Amino acid sequence: MTEPTSRATAGNLTPSSLTIDDRFVIAAALDRILYDDPDHFATEDARLLRRMIPRTPSPWLRLGFRAESQGPSMSGRAAGVGDVKMDGDKKVVEGGVGEAPVWRCGQYKISNHGDDLEIWQVMSDEFAEEPKGARLEYGATGTPERLTFFQPRDLELRIPFTGIAVGLRLGGWQPWKKAS
């Protein structure tokens, strides 16, 4: 069986650079890496992914942000009901700086930074309540070494007497699996 090849080149990186067949092969390899064995993954699948996902230049700084604000709330007394409180609408603004191009393959978003492949489930990201991200890491010779998972560390700073809180999420990658 021959493997599909990507039509992407270094000067022509677009999300449509991968064919639908490429995306199926990538999604199947990711399923095997993430779900087949709890402690190990096949190096052949990791090499296949690195060959197929176009490499993109990584910015030296990547920052993401998420801001939430709560609208005004009202409270009062309603006849026949008692005390009533209505919270205002919640507004969320998200953004980022230095994000690399991401390719959608099945239920995954994946990007190739050269030394690693960053993998996220489609409906998850760094700011999700339970983020589902992994990083496939390669050694200096390009040999797959390990798979890590995203484990955030949340800090919250409250400004006294204002009711304002500033949250900070620091990303950390924890060991998960080793190459077999």
Side-chain angles (χ1 to χ4, degrees):
M1 178 172 107
T2 60
E3 297 171 0
T5 56
S6 172
R7 291 178 276 163
T9 62
N12 184 22
L13 293 173
T14 65
S16 62
S17 298
L18 296 173
T19 67
I20 191 70
D21 291 340
D22 292 340
R23 293 170 193 266
F24 281 133
V25 170
I26 291 166
L30 284 169
D31 283 341
R32 288 189 299 272
I33 287 171
L34 297 172
Y35 300 114
D36 273 2
D37 183 319
D39 300 318
H40 297 90
F41 62 90
T43 56
E44 301 81 36
D45 285 331
R47 284 188 180 110
L48 171 75
L49 291 176
R50 192 160 188 211
R51 272 194 320 269
M52 292 186 74
I53 300 294
R55 183 171 182 209
T56 57
S58 286
W60 65 274
L61 177 66
R62 284 182 13 189
L63 294 174
F65 67 88
R66 176 186 174 112
E68 295 181 11
S69 66
Q70 189 77 32
S73 61
M74 298 185 323
S75 61
R77 208 156 179 58
V81 177
D83 291 335
V84 177
K85 183 176 181 183
M86 294 176 49
D87 290 326
D89 292 336
K90 185 182 202 179
K91 296 177 186 174
V92 177
V93 176
E94 292 183 355
V97 175
E99 297 294 322
V102 175
W103 282 265
R104 166 89 188 264
C105 300
Q107 67 169 326
Y108 307 105
K109 299 177 289 187
I110 185 168
S111 56
N112 182 349
H113 301 290
D115 295 337
D116 65 71
L117 297 176
E118 198 168 309
I119 306 152
W120 289 90
Q121 279 193 335
V122 168
M123 299 302 284
S124 184
D125 63 14
E126 296 92 337
F127 302 112
E129 211 169 293
E130 294 182 28
K132 293 179 173 61
R135 189 182 332 186
L136 193 52
E137 298 175 359
Y138 298 83
T141 62
T143 306
E145 292 183 347
R146 68 184 156 269
L147 184 68
T148 58
F149 68 94
F150 184 75
Q151 181 66 51
R153 294 181 193 108
D154 293 330
L155 302 171
E156 185 175 272
L157 306 169
R158 294 200 170 271
I159 301 171
F161 311 111
T162 65
I164 296 174
V166 176
L168 180 63
R169 175 165 275 185
L170 304 173
W173 298 93
Q174 301 297 315
W176 181 8
K177 297 182 182 190
K178 293 183 179 184
S180 60

